[in-house]
Structure formats: structure tokens, C-alpha cells
């Protein structure tokens, strides 16, 4: 999918450095917008108001540089197929709804290396409370660097939207075409074309959790060692 950038009324595909002429005026508003749906539903990414010289006509240029840098504390899960379902059913593990094992193709995506910590939850929540996300749960956590817990699915969805807006990304979750900021609804829809944060699908989570292996109990094999492999009861 191509990302389309519009610069001062000129449409540019991918990266561009296009000179545009403007007549002398005191204030100019530069608005960078993005569309992931053809040439409709433009989303404003950045708006800058700047003073321009008033003495004469001049040329101005905006350089747009797109990078594929890995987001902080995330890792790339490559595209590809994997065997989804309970591959250990013969040993009595798993549930009946995990059968039959079937092949699933998943597009590439970035996923957090760690679960959302209480510290990150609090940071985004504090921003959200003053930007329209007024009913985000406080949540709980054993420590600031431990995973947040005791939150609802609706809280997580709204938190994802808040984090997206905080980082000038396009939120993924909406109800009736309107970004979900408060409340709860059974009609929440996810825009998988948006570049904001969202929860992984079941297939995405399972592909990532398998660590590239197939038919194994854990991402590293079939056995687990307490302390070295995991902290569990």
C-alpha cells in the first residue's frame, strides 16, 4: 500500500522535494496531510504557521523523508505463513476450539518486545485525560516496570488510540466512523490501514509467540526451566 502525501496542493507519491511558489504574505500555514484510502479521508499529521518575507515573491521547499526505522522497544514480525492451532493435541494439551491445525498467512507487523508497563500506561493515561480520553482506568501494577493489569479491553483500545494521537499517528479504533475516546461499545471497529497502535489479532499473537518454530510447546522447544526460561507458579 502506498502512502500519499499532499504538499501545498500538490500530490506527491512517497518521498518528494517539490518547490512551490507563493505570493508575499505575512503568515503561511503549512499543513502536511496523509491519506491511506486513495485521495479521500485526509488526516492532518502536522500543521505549522510561519512568517514569510513580505518584500518579494520567493520559492519555498518542504522535504519529506520517509524512513522504515523500527519503532522504539518493538520488533518486526516478518510476513509469512505458519501452522495455527494446537499441535500437541495428541498429548491432551489445549482445547477443542484450537483444532484443526491450519495454515494462516500473516502480513508483516511490529510488536512490542515487552508488555505495556505500568509506567508507560500512566504516561499515556495522563496525556489522555487532558485530551479527551477522560475515563481511562488507573490500572494496577506490581511496580512501574511491571506489566499493567486490571484493565478492561475497552480501556486498552482507548489507551491505544490515546498513545497514537500522542505520537501524531492515526488511531485505529472507532465507533461508527468516530474515534473511540470514551465509553464502551460492541460496535468497535479497527482500521488495520491506520499507522497507530492496536492490539494484535489472535493469529498475529500466535505467530509472534511461536518464535518461528512449529509444533513446539514453547518458542525455544518443548521443555521449560524455571527462572532461566520463565517466572511462573
Amino acid at each position: 500500500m502506498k502512502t500519499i502525501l499532499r504538499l501545498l496542493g500538490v500530490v506527491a507519491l512517497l518521498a518528494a522535494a517539490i518547490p512551490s511558489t507563493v505570493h508575499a504574505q505575512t503568515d503561511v500555514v503549512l499543513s502536511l496531510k496523509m491519506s491511506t484510502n486513495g485521495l479521500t479521508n485526509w488526516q492532518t499529521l502536522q500543521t505549522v504557521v510561519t512568517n514569510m518575507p513580505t518584500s518579494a515573491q520567493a520559492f519555498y521547499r518542504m522535504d519529506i523523508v520517509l524512513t522504515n526505522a523500527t519503532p522504539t522497544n518493538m520488533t518486526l514480525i516478518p510476513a509469512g505463513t505458519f501452522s495455527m492451532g494446537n499441535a500437541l493435541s495428541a498429548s491432551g494439551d489445549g482445547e477443542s476450539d484450537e483444532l484443526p491445525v491450519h495454515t494462516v498467512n500473516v502480513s508483516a507487523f511490529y510488536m512490542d518486545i515487552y508488555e505495556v508497563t505500568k509506567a508507560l500506561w500512566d504516561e499515556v493515561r495522563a496525556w489522555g485525560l487532558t485530551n479527551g480520553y477522560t475515563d481511562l482506568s488507573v490500572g494496577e501494577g506490581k511496580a512501574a516496570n511491571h506489566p499493567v493489569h486490571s484493565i478492561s479491553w475497552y480501556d486498552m483500545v482507548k489507551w491505544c488510540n490515546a498513545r497514537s494521537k500522542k505520537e501524531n499517528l492515526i488511531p485505529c479504533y472507532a465507533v461508527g466512523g468516530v474515534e473511540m475516546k470514551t465509553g464502551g461499545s460492541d460496535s468497535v471497529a479497527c482500521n488495520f490501514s491506520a499507522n497507530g497502535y492496536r492490539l494484535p489479532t489472535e493469529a498475529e499473537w500466535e505467530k509472534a509467540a511461536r518464535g518461528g518454530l512449529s509444533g513446539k510447546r514453547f518458542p525455544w522447544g518443548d521443555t521449560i526451566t524455571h527462572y532461566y526460561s520463565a517466572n511462573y507458579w
Side-chain angles (χ1 to χ4, degrees):
M1 179 180 65
K2 292 184 178 179
T3 299
I4 300 176
L5 302 176
R6 184 170 60 184
L7 174 64
L8 296 179
V10 179
V11 175
L13 292 179
L14 299 181
I18 303 175
S20 299
T21 60
V22 296
H23 292 287
Q25 50 189 302
T26 56
D27 291 329
V28 171
V29 178
L30 303 178
S31 182
L32 178 62
K33 298 185 177 182
M34 180 180 75
S35 173
T36 57
N37 184 24
L39 298 178
T40 61
N41 300 324
W42 290 95
Q43 302 275 348
T44 299
L45 300 180
Q46 189 73 36
T47 299
V48 177
V49 179
T50 183
N51 293 323
M52 298 294 187
T54 58
S55 58
Q57 179 176 319
F59 288 91
Y60 299 94
R61 186 179 75 179
M62 178 183 292
D63 294 333
I64 303 172
V65 180
L66 303 181
T67 65
N68 292 317
T70 300
T72 303
N73 291 328
M74 303 190 89
T75 188
L76 175 65
I77 308 299
T81 59
F82 77 103
S83 296
M84 182 175 179
N86 178 20
L88 303 174
S89 58
S91 61
D93 290 353
E95 302 293 336
S96 59
D97 61 1
E98 297 172 329
L99 294 172
V101 175
H102 53 289
T103 300
V104 175
N105 184 65
V106 177
S107 300
F109 62 97
Y110 288 102
M111 189 172 188
D112 280 333
I113 298 174
Y114 311 106
E115 294 176 304
V116 175
T117 64
K118 184 62 166 64
L120 180 57
W121 178 271
D122 290 344
E123 176 188 332
V124 174
R125 178 178 179 272
W127 181 91
L129 292 177
T130 59
N131 287 274
Y133 308 84
T134 55
D135 61 356
L136 288 174
S137 173
V138 174
E140 297 182 24
K142 184 177 180 181
N145 62 341
H146 282 235
V148 65
H149 62 84
S150 300
I151 55 174
S152 70
W153 183 86
Y154 294 112
D155 284 325
M156 195 67 223
V157 164
K158 292 178 288 188
W159 184 90
C160 284
N161 279 354
R163 184 181 180 187
S164 298
K165 290 296 286 289
K166 182 176 182 291
E167 298 183 17
N168 294 318
L169 302 175
I170 300 175
C172 294
Y173 297 101
V175 177
V178 179
E179 180 193 350
M180 186 175 184
K181 290 187 173 183
T182 59
S185 171
D186 293 333
S187 301
V188 179
C190 180
N191 176 11
F192 289 95
S193 297
N195 63 354
Y197 295 95
R198 61 174 175 82
L199 298 172
T201 66
E202 182 180 3
E204 288 172 338
W205 184 90
E206 186 168 331
K207 185 177 192 296
R210 289 186 179 279
L213 299 184
S214 179
K216 299 298 181 180
R217 191 181 302 274
F218 306 108
W220 51 82
D222 287 325
T223 60
I224 189 171
T225 303
H226 185 63
Y227 180 77
Y228 291 103
S229 300
N231 184 17
Y232 63 94
W233 292 93

